[in-house]
Amino acid sequence: MKTLMLHSQSDTAILAQKIADLNPVGSIWLSGDLGAGKTTFTRYFLQALGHVGAVKSPTFTLVEPYVINDKPVYHSDLYRLHDPEELELMGFFEYFDEQDSLIIIEWASRAECLLPKPDILIDIKKMAGDDRLVTIQGIDIE
């Protein structure tokens, strides 16, 4: 487990790049309160993976799909999920079966009972000002 303090969005972009450089597959869970910076981190992360263009928040759609360098990437936000069983109805679990897919899940705790365990867990806590305390499990970064 690694804990670090981010003091700016530039620090967030650097962290996102370090994780993107590892070319992760599987699932990344992002936890933290509203406004902690989960979606901001994801924007920088997708750009670091090679996405060009806008990164929309999946708050209302639940999932935004991307193909980045021939790799399927799914950004999901389960905050508005009413019942975890909805994921089965929308085919969400099929994303995990795609070869080399990456599923980034904000608010995974809303369906933790049904989701496969994360490969990487990133917890973001908003501190004073722009500071964020970030705890990362599942990977080693410098």
Side-chain angles (χ1 to χ4, degrees):
M1 180 166 50
K2 173 103 173 167
T3 301
L4 53 124
M5 186 70 73
L6 305 178
H7 301 288
S8 65
Q9 288 205 14
S10 177
D11 288 350
T12 302
I14 291 167
L15 175 62
Q17 183 66 60
K18 287 180 180 182
I19 295 173
D21 287 347
L22 298 173
N23 196 26
V25 296
S27 67
I28 298 175
W29 289 12
L30 298 172
S31 63
D33 292 334
L34 282 172
K38 298 178 295 295
T39 301
T40 298
F41 170 83
T42 302
R43 281 188 185 107
Y44 286 124
F45 180 66
L46 294 176
Q47 291 167 351
L49 287 173
H51 175 69
V52 177
V55 175
K56 298 187 292 183
S57 173
T59 301
F60 294 101
T61 58
L62 292 182
V63 178
E64 286 293 332
Y66 300 89
V67 176
I68 303 172
N69 298 320
D70 297 322
K71 177 181 185 167
V73 179
Y74 300 94
H75 176 204
S76 62
D77 182 337
L78 305 184
Y79 183 75
R80 297 191 183 280
L81 186 71
H82 297 290
D83 181 344
E85 299 293 331
E86 291 175 46
L87 295 176
E88 185 71 45
L89 296 173
M90 62 185 272
F92 187 82
F93 297 102
E94 293 173 16
Y95 303 146
F96 293 90
D97 296 333
E98 289 186 56
Q99 185 170 348
D100 297 325
S101 67
L102 178 62
I103 302 98
I104 304 158
I105 307 172
E106 298 182 37
W107 296 98
S109 60
R110 304 245 181 202
E112 190 170 2
C113 60
L114 295 177
L115 292 171
K117 295 294 179 212
D119 296 288
I120 300 169
L121 179 59
I122 301 172
D123 182 63
I124 306 171
K125 289 192 179 1
K126 185 171 179 3
M127 309 302 280
D130 290 335
D131 289 351
R132 302 291 191 266
L133 181 66
V134 178
T135 304
I136 304 169
Q137 297 177 50
I139 54 170
D140 290 321
I141 59 166
E142 293 300 316

